Amino acid sequence: INAGQAGMDLKGIYHRLKKKVLPLDPDLIILSSGWNNIVPFTRLALQSEQRVAVSVMTHLSRYSLFVVGMRTLTGKVFYGDPSHYWTRLDRAKISRAIANHPAFPSYKALLWEVIRLLQEKTICLLLIRQPYKYQKSHFNPPNRLYYLYPIIHINEILDAASKTFRIPTVNAEAFFNQIPEKRTLFTDVMHMTPEGYDKLAGIVYRSIINRRLLEKKGCASGRPDERQKY
């Protein structure tokens, strides 16, 4: 049963599990989440980009009527790749916002609630470490994607949850990073093509079978099979 809903954050997932999914008495729940809890950072970064772009344009327009007349065209250039116009102050401001933002402690607390809810019902949980179009290094500072999508913090929380509660995890990120044509399997940073989703379904299926999760041999109440690489 696909109980997922586009755009739902962990708080919504918790309530959906409690009200809609648990009454169905499931044996196994597959959970993949992350992006929707860090949307404020993408907005913060984009607002910073736009502010810097406008500032540069305003500054240039004081000296050149040509720039004024080409505002629309240069605006598209700025929008296409505005990272070149981030100042150190902008990057430092966004980094501080990311480091101190309550979204991450909130995400961790909500994930812990979800896990405890399922453990109380002795329901097997399989976490998915989501794959992305770009390599892991692209999400580290000072790369632009770090400021737009600081997923390294989310992954740290997922790893902590897996170790704390001994929950099996499918490291789809590591699997996709080994595929040479990886970028062709994505339509944007996170959403995949049908072929990409087919590959993801394949590794999730193999993980369920190899770990004997449907027999509850490798669930949170048991011990994950460490030999299972992905």
Side-chain angles (χ1 to χ4, degrees):
I1 297 174
N2 181 8
Q5 182 174 325
M8 183 174 284
D9 60 14
L10 262 178
K11 186 175 182 180
I13 289 173
Y14 175 84
H15 291 293
R16 191 170 185 82
L17 287 171
K18 196 169 185 179
K19 295 179 180 179
K20 300 287 186 179
V21 179
L22 294 187
L24 300 175
D25 192 26
D27 295 303
L28 169 67
I29 289 178
I30 303 168
L31 178 62
S32 175
S33 67
W35 287 106
N36 297 318
N37 284 75
I38 56 175
V39 168
F41 297 114
T42 65
R43 292 175 182 166
L44 173 63
L46 290 174
Q47 287 171 0
S48 176
E49 291 175 348
Q50 292 166 357
R51 186 167 57 255
V52 173
V54 170
S55 175
V56 172
M57 287 299 300
T58 302
H59 178 75
L60 292 175
S61 66
R62 294 174 182 173
Y63 304 98
S64 174
L65 292 176
F66 174 76
V67 173
V68 176
M70 297 295 288
R71 276 182 185 273
T72 303
L73 179 60
T74 49
K76 290 182 179 180
V77 174
F78 279 125
Y79 184 77
D81 187 13
S83 60
H84 295 293
Y85 305 96
W86 267 350
T87 66
R88 289 184 179 180
L89 291 177
D90 286 310
R91 294 180 186 274
K93 179 180 179 180
I94 299 172
S95 294
R96 287 195 298 271
I98 292 172
N100 301 318
H101 202 280
F104 297 109
S106 174
Y107 179 90
K108 181 177 180 179
L110 286 167
L111 181 59
W112 261 235
E113 283 188 39
V114 168
I115 294 171
R116 291 192 178 105
L117 174 67
L118 300 182
Q119 285 189 334
E120 288 175 2
K121 304 293 183 180
T122 64
I123 297 172
C124 188
L125 173 64
L126 177 64
L127 289 174
I128 297 180
R129 184 163 174 156
Q130 189 172 331
Y132 303 102
K133 181 176 183 178
Y134 304 101
Q135 296 293 333
K136 182 179 179 181
S137 59
H138 283 63
F139 297 94
N140 295 328
N143 290 334
R144 177 173 176 265
L145 286 176
Y146 169 77
Y147 302 97
L148 292 172
Y149 311 106
I151 61 168
I152 56 175
H153 299 281
I154 294 294
N155 284 340
E156 288 172 355
I157 295 173
L158 290 175
D159 291 341
S162 179
K163 292 178 181 178
T164 300
F165 297 97
R166 304 175 74 181
I167 298 174
T169 303
V170 176
N171 195 341
E173 180 188 33
F175 175 83
F176 275 81
N177 282 344
Q178 295 183 359
I179 302 176
E181 69 279 11
K182 173 186 176 182
R183 291 196 181 190
T184 65
L185 300 174
F186 289 80
T187 58
D188 57 25
V189 176
M190 72 190 97
H191 296 103
M192 288 177 281
T193 63
E195 183 182 359
Y197 282 117
D198 186 64
K199 290 182 180 295
L200 178 61
I203 62 172
V204 171
Y205 173 79
R206 290 194 296 273
S207 181
I208 292 172
I209 297 303
N210 294 342
R211 286 168 161 163
R212 301 171 67 186
L213 298 186
L214 293 179
E215 302 173 30
K216 297 195 175 182
K217 299 293 185 180
C219 298
S221 57
R223 186 176 65 181
D225 185 357
E226 299 297 337
R227 296 170 297 174
Q228 179 67 19
K229 189 173 183 180
Y230 302 115

